[in-house]
Amino acid sequence: MTEATPEPAGPPPASPFDVPAYRVGVVDLLGVLAYGELSAFERLAADAALAPTLADKAALADMASAEYHHYERLAGRLVEMGADPYEAMEPFVASIDGFHESTRPADWLEGLIKAYVGDGIGADFYREVSTHLDPDTRDLVLAVCGDTGHAEFAIDRVRAAIAEDPRVAGRLALWGRRLVGEMLSQAQRVAAERDNLANLLVGGITGSPAGEDGYAGLPGFDLAEVGRIFAQLTEAHTRRLQALGLAA
Amino acid sequence: MTEATPEPAGPPPASPFDVPAYRVGVVDLLGVLAYGELSAFERLAADAALAPTLADKAALADMASAEYHHYERLAGRLVEMGADPYEAMEPFVASIDGFHESTRPADWLEGLIKAYVGDGIGADFYREVSTHLDPDTRDLVLAVCGDTGHAEFAIDRVRAAIAEDPRVAGRLALWGRRLVGEMLSQAQRVAAERDNLANLLVGGITGSPAGEDGYAGLPGFDLAEVGRIFAQLTEAHTRRLQALGLAA
């Protein structure tokens, strides 16, 4: 047997994945997205059971199946990265399940709004996050955040319901506001518990100053950006509620 | 305006679809299959919510999504035939929903057995039916009756549960027998209500004697065959229960 020689100090890492904290942060990010998609599948399938017509049921089943295929892509990438998808999802089960338990739709319309508004905010958030990621991870995140047909479907059904009985608008507007509050509180809980994920998003992957380990390409967001992103998310949420015919 | 002239008596129909009763029977058959798949999607997705591990949850979501894609193919064929898939499914909603309501699994294991045993009997039955159909319809029926991974998964999980606690075997065997009884009683109800479907399956599409309208290629089953098919379905059911480690 030949004795292993210590490796010489190499050139600066050519990929952010050479920085261990980046890889761990991406596994966390794909894990939370994957469990989010698997939960979205479950929730849409449960909504399908409440659907008032067979056409609505089939439409919801179609969206649920699309979410499952997003899950498949995320789990597949985790496996490619040498990570166990179930382990990667596990840390996020309690907070995502908690969100769904605290926002159980009382009826079909609340379920539709939750799918549209919730997935809309999630997609906006992950799209912002993706700007700081390596190209492969970014493309995957953008692909799984694509609209699966919720938007048009929900807008159509909710507007029709309000046209039929304008009194439902007040209750549904309240529901829309409650959903955002619950999402933000769960997101804060996740960020507080997952340092690597929080570091991936805010403050960069290498601590400060960025670049000290030779890779400075993914600096994360600074606080001004975080403020701007929250303002954008809120504005987009308001526009979605207006599209539904609801006051934000 | 020109006056419509009565069409001359043409040559014998070249396809069974030229016989109106055949087309109506096939629309019924694809309709009952389509709603069966959409219900299977819903039921498997609900089982996913009960799954004890994330790996089990993802496996059930995968099977549910496969059932949805079967539904998609059946609905697509109905549209190709100029039929409305929702209208085609409607006559079967009450009996299929009734079956699911009268066989609501009490736990995860009962759900797995229902998926495996119920889909197994259904697939055996439709495979027999398909032997009397035109080749395109037959290929579609065989494709959507293919195993979506239930069998191996259910056998593995149920055997493991019995190994851990042999006392569950008695309850689960009873459950397996109840499922068959409920399926048969719902199937009889459907056959009694849907003449065209029953004629497609038993007695041929043209009444008797076959061939009186010029197409004699799809005679349906005679009563001896029906007896043989029921014997085969029962034997296959017994083998499935044995594979699970249960007394039939």
Side-chain angles (χ1 to χ4, degrees), chain A residues 19-46:
Chain A
V19 181
Y22 182 76
R23 185 185 174 282
V24 174
V26 167
V27 168
D28 261 9
L29 178 68
L30 300 183
V32 69
L33 269 167
Y35 192 67
E37 296 285 0
L38 200 53
S39 300
F41 159 84
E42 256 182 62
R43 188 194 63 206
L44 288 166

Side-chain angles (χ1 to χ4, degrees), chain A residues 35 38 41-42 44-46 48-50 54-66 68-69 71-72 85-87 89-90 93 97, chain B residues 35 38 41-42 44-46 48-50 54-66 68-69 71-72 85-87 89-90 93 97:
Chain A
Y35 192 67
L38 200 53
F41 159 84
E42 256 182 62
L44 288 166
L50 301 174
L54 286 177
D56 287 331
K57 189 189 282 291
L60 268 282
D62 187 68
M63 293 178 210
S65 180
Y68 173 73
H69 294 305
Y71 160 78
E72 254 185 333
Y86 309 120
E87 282 175 26
M89 291 192 284
E90 196 61 59
V93 169
D97 285 357
Chain B
Y35 191 66
L38 201 53
F41 160 83
E42 257 183 60
L44 288 165
L50 301 175
L54 286 176
D56 288 330
K57 188 189 283 292
L60 268 282
D62 187 68
M63 293 177 210
S65 179
Y68 173 73
H69 294 305
Y71 160 78
E72 253 185 334
Y86 309 119
E87 282 176 26
M89 291 191 284
E90 197 62 58
V93 169
D97 284 357

